[in-house]
Amino acid sequence: QVQLVQSGTEVKKPGASVKLSCKASGYTFRSYAVHWVRQAPGQRLEWMGWISAGNGDTKYSQKFQDRVTMTRDTSASTVYMDLSSLRSDDTALYYCARSSSALLLDYWGQGTLVTVSS
Amino acid sequence: DIVMTQSPDSLAVSLGERATINCKSSQSVLYRSNNQNYLAWYQQKLGQPPKLLIYWASTRESGVPDRFSGSGSGTDFTLTISSLQAEDVAVYYCMQFYTTPVFGQGTKLELK
C-alpha cells in the first residue's frame, strides 16, 4: 500500500534551518510528484511547493520561494524539504503528500511537528 | 491567487441527519478542455493527516462510504453527508487544484 513516512519532531531556534524527510513506498516513486503542505495552529492548510520525483523539477509558493528547497533521492525513494531563516510563525505541522499529473493530493504522510522557539 | 471560502465554519448535526458543507472559489475551477472541476474534499480527524474523500468535485475516492457525496461546478461546490455517523466527526476542507493547491479554511463538524 502507498505510504509516506516522515521524519520526527524538530525544535529549532529562530534563524536556524530545518530539513525534513518523506520516504515513499508502495508505488513507483518516479511517477509522481511530492508536495509539502503545512498547518500552523488554528490556520488553514497551506501549500508550500512540490518536486517532481521523476526529474527533480520544483515549483514553490511565492511565499516561501526565498527560504525553501526541495530535493529528492531516487535511490532512497525519499524527498527532502529544507526551510531556512526560521521564525516563530513557522511553527506548524508539516505534511508531505503525493500527486499524479493533476495536482490532486491523494496520499499524505503522518506529519512532522516543527517548533520554532528561542 | 484563487481564494477558497467554506461555510459554515462549524456545524453540529444529529446522528443520522444530513450535513451540508459549502465551498466557494474566487474564480472558476472548471477546466473546459476536459469538463472537469478541479475541486477536492478532505476529511481530517484529530491527530491525523487529511484524507481524500472526493475529487473532480463529485468522484468518491475508493473506499469512501457512499453517504459522502460532492456536487457543484464552476465556483460553487457542496459536500453532503447523507446520514451522519459518529466517525464522521472531523474537520472538512475543500481544495482547488486548478492551479497550485489552495485550501478552504475548514469546517468543523460535530455531533449535536
Side-chain angles (χ1 to χ4, degrees), chain A residues 22-93:
Chain A
C22 173
K23 182 171 176 60
S25 62
Y27 70 95
T28 304
F29 178 70
R30 297 188 65 151
S31 297
Y32 293 81
V34 174
H35 300 241
W36 290 88
V37 176
R38 77 178 190 180
Q39 189 170 35
Q43 302 296 312
R44 71 179 66 193
L45 295 157
E46 182 175 35
W47 179 81
M48 299 179 69
W50 63 264
I51 180 168
S52 164
N55 62 15
D57 283 352
T58 56
K59 183 176 176 67
Y60 304 138
S61 165
Q62 273 198 308
K63 178 175 178 177
F64 301 102
Q65 180 79 36
D66 296 335
R67 298 197 293 136
V68 72
T69 304
M70 296 178 189
T71 56
R72 96 275 194 229
D73 179 349
T74 55
S75 66
S77 299
T78 300
V79 167
Y80 301 93
M81 194 273 292
D82 201 313
L83 187 63
S84 63
S85 302
L86 290 169
R87 308 184 287 257
S88 58
D89 62 0
D90 289 317
T91 293
L93 197 52

Side-chain angles (χ1 to χ4, degrees), chain B residues 53-74:
Chain B
L53 295 177
I54 303 277
Y55 57 97
W56 302 136
S58 61
T59 301
R60 256 190 314 276
E61 173 73 331
S62 174
V64 173
D66 61 6
R67 63 180 180 274
F68 290 91
S69 63
S71 62
S73 184

Side-chain angles (χ1 to χ4, degrees), chain B residues 14-66:
Chain B
S14 301
L15 287 173
E17 295 299 302
R18 177 185 298 261
T20 301
I21 298 170
N22 300 300
C23 175
K24 188 174 184 67
S25 60
S26 60
Q27 63 188 74
S28 176
V29 298
L30 174 62
Y31 194 42
R32 295 288 181 188
S33 66
N34 62 6
N35 200 36
Q36 294 283 13
N37 286 282
Y38 282 59
L39 188 285
W41 288 97
Y42 294 87
Q43 175 193 66
Q44 187 177 31
K45 295 183 179 180
L46 197 62
Q48 296 183 18
K51 174 189 173 185
L52 178 63
L53 295 177
I54 303 277
Y55 57 97
W56 302 136
S58 61
T59 301
R60 256 190 314 276
E61 173 73 331
S62 174
V64 173
D66 61 6

